[in-house]
Amino acid sequence: MNEAQGRALLYGGAMVIVVGLCAASMLYRPEPDVYTLLSSADVQLRMAYAIPAVDKQGVSLSARDEMIADAQKNLDLVEQIKPGMACTAEFRGFVHMLRGEPKQAAATYAEARRCQDCTAEQADVLTFNQARMLAEAGDIDAALQVFSVNAARLDSRFGTQRNLEEASMLRRVGRVQEAEQRVDGVVAGGAVDAMSWLQAGREYLELGKSDKAERALTSAQADVPIANYYLARLKLVAGDVDRALALLETATAAVPGDARRLLREEAEVWQGIATDVRFEQLQTPRAATPGR
């Protein structure tokens, strides 16, 4: 896994929990059966990840459940053919995550790191995922400990990301001053890339630091269009509805899928303008213009 792939795994599309699907499934070919099974599990898990866990009525989606179960069967077969592979363990951690079992996912990611064939790049992704799953399970102290123990290795490539993720965890347990200090350190460090500006802006936004949030998000705006969504949130809180709607329009035009997903997930944020005609239009996909 090269550095670009690693950063993609660490950041993800909209800064949600990121699953580090191991590149080994695409590269490692001990024998055709194992490669085929791992590739199938990869596809099944990625498809399941793209499907909501429940429908609008809160009912579990059987198609998603079946994909996860089929992937698990393939991984069990791989374990029988060639036991102890880091890739297999990593995929099993992903299975636990998809099933809403973060504690088990964290333990399985840790297991994958201990496998003999685990590469240094894969270990970095697994470390982040282990910490994220511990945080998801509510054990923030354990998550921070995972980062602390592995900081020297991670920081050679992913120090900025580690500090931003620690900031998020600290904020979630009310240690807001420490969280703000972490983000301040990142943006003061120089050579901050657009995705880091975006994540810093989101953290400042959640911390209620509006001025800092606007500076960070504006720095990301040109390269990461979804930053317009978060700037729109900021303007809405400030009472500038027209500017908020204009920024939302920019976001939905550039990244319609991500922007509308966030509008659905954060519907409570937008309740105050939910009946505004302009806002309603932004939530409705526009019909494609007929070709000539």
Side-chain angles (χ1 to χ4, degrees):
M1 177 165 40
N2 59 33
E3 183 171 356
Q5 290 171 318
R7 293 188 73 78
L9 291 173
L10 291 173
Y11 286 124
M15 311 314 299
V16 295
I17 267 193
V18 183
V19 266
L21 294 179
C22 66
S25 68
M26 298 293 101
L27 303 176
Y28 182 65
R29 303 190 182 207
E31 53 186 89
D33 287 345
V34 167
Y35 170 69
T36 300
L37 291 166
L38 285 174
S39 295
S40 295
D42 184 7
V43 172
Q44 289 159 339
L45 293 175
R46 288 178 186 274
M47 290 176 64
Y49 182 61
I51 300 173
V54 296
D55 62 19
K56 292 181 179 179
Q57 286 71 45
V59 178
S60 177
L61 294 173
S62 59
R64 179 179 184 273
D65 294 339
E66 289 170 7
M67 287 178 192
I68 298 171
D70 288 342
Q72 180 68 68
K73 290 176 184 177
N74 285 331
L75 295 174
D76 290 343
L77 288 172
V78 171
E79 193 65 24
Q80 292 175 20
I81 298 168
K82 190 171 182 65
M85 292 174 62
C87 185
T88 310
E90 183 174 358
F91 279 138
R92 285 195 286 106
F94 190 25
V95 167
H96 284 303
M97 189 278 285
L98 289 172
R99 286 176 170 163
E101 302 166 345
K103 193 170 184 178
Q104 295 92 319
T108 310
Y109 286 136
E111 175 190 333
R113 286 171 50 211
R114 294 191 293 269
C115 292
Q116 290 186 350
D117 66 334
C118 183
T119 66
E121 292 85 358
Q122 187 179 3
D124 287 346
V125 176
L126 289 165
T127 299
F128 274 91
N129 284 340
Q130 181 188 0
R132 289 164 180 151
M133 289 294 99
L134 286 168
E136 184 73 10
D139 197 344
I140 299 293
D141 287 338
L144 291 170
Q145 179 66 15
V146 167
F147 278 141
S148 177
V149 168
N150 295 281
R153 189 191 77 246
L154 292 174
D155 287 1
S156 64
R157 294 194 303 149
F158 300 122
T160 293
Q161 183 66 13
R162 178 180 68 83
N163 278 287
L164 288 169
E165 300 228 5
E166 286 189 356
S168 178
M169 293 174 184
L170 289 164
R171 170 178 54 78
R172 288 161 62 181
V173 292
R175 295 162 62 179
V176 294
Q177 186 173 3
E178 292 176 74
E180 185 178 0
Q181 289 172 349
R182 288 283 204 287
V183 187
D184 287 347
V186 167
V187 301
V192 181
D193 63 30
M195 290 301 296
S196 296
W197 277 120
L198 173 65
Q199 196 168 356
R202 291 183 66 236
E203 281 305 312
Y204 282 135
L205 185 60
E206 297 299 332
L207 288 165
K209 304 297 179 181
S210 299
D211 290 343
K212 291 181 178 180
E214 184 164 8
R215 284 196 296 272
L217 292 168
T218 301
S219 296
Q221 195 175 17
D223 296 317
V224 190
I226 198 63
N228 290 287
Y229 171 86
Y230 295 103
L231 282 167
R233 271 186 52 179
L234 193 63
K235 295 302 180 183
L236 182 68
V237 171
D240 190 346
V241 175
D242 288 339
R243 182 60 179 150
L245 287 168
L247 287 162
L248 272 182
E249 184 174 2
T250 300
T252 54
V255 280
D258 286 340
R260 292 192 176 100
R261 175 182 56 78
L262 286 168
L263 285 171
R264 291 193 301 270
E265 292 176 356
E266 300 182 347
E268 70 282 356
V269 172
W270 306 99
Q271 282 182 350
I273 60 170
T275 57
D276 188 300
V277 174
R278 295 169 297 174
F279 181 75
E280 291 177 342
Q281 290 174 341
L282 290 173
Q283 297 185 85
T284 305
R286 298 176 181 176
T289 302
R292 290 183 179 273

